[in-house]
Amino acid sequence: MSDQDHSSAYSEGAFWDKVKRFAKKAGSGVLEPALKMYYSAQDTNTPAWAKATIIGALGYFISPIDAIPDITPFIGYTDDFGVLVGALAAVANHVTDEHKALATEKLKQWFS
């Protein structure tokens, strides 16, 4: 599946559905970069190229077709984590303190 295919797999509803179904299994370490980028993508100040990068990474996270299937115990989310962290590094200058705070708050709601 190409980056373009992963971007087309992204939708806000599919993102939240995946996060809600697999939050505990994926863990906060995987969800933190996903949430930071989600909130950055929602921001009108984030440039189009950064949003495209984010949507591609979140599309990969959502997609049931992975390099390592998410149902694989212990390592199922390592590929997702790698893609998310790589994308986050590429768009880091566009992830604001507000985006980080929103992600942290959401993680506290789910994991506290």
Side-chain angles (χ1 to χ4, degrees):
M1 197 174 236
S2 71
D3 289 341
Q4 185 67 10
D5 292 336
H6 289 298
S7 294
S8 66
Y10 175 79
S11 74
E12 187 170 349
F15 173 75
W16 287 113
D17 182 53
K18 172 95 177 207
V19 167
K20 287 175 186 174
R21 285 186 296 128
F22 295 101
K24 296 289 185 192
K25 191 176 192 179
S28 62
V30 172
L31 293 178
E32 183 178 14
L35 288 168
K36 286 177 181 178
M37 288 190 294
Y38 169 80
Y39 290 119
S40 180
Q42 301 304 306
D43 190 332
T44 58
N45 294 320
T46 301
W49 72 265
K51 287 182 181 187
T53 300
I54 291 167
I55 289 169
L58 294 180
Y60 185 88
F61 174 65
I62 292 166
S63 177
I65 301 170
D66 275 358
I68 302 171
D70 294 341
I71 59 170
T72 306
F74 306 110
I75 61 168
Y77 288 95
T78 56
D79 61 320
D80 297 88
F81 181 70
V83 168
L84 292 170
V85 169
L88 183 59
V91 302
N93 289 336
H94 302 288
V95 177
T96 67
D97 289 341
E98 180 182 356
H99 305 147
K100 293 173 187 175
L102 289 167
T104 298
E105 183 58 35
K106 186 59 75 177
L107 290 170
K108 282 181 186 175
Q109 290 173 4
W110 291 337
F111 291 99
S112 293

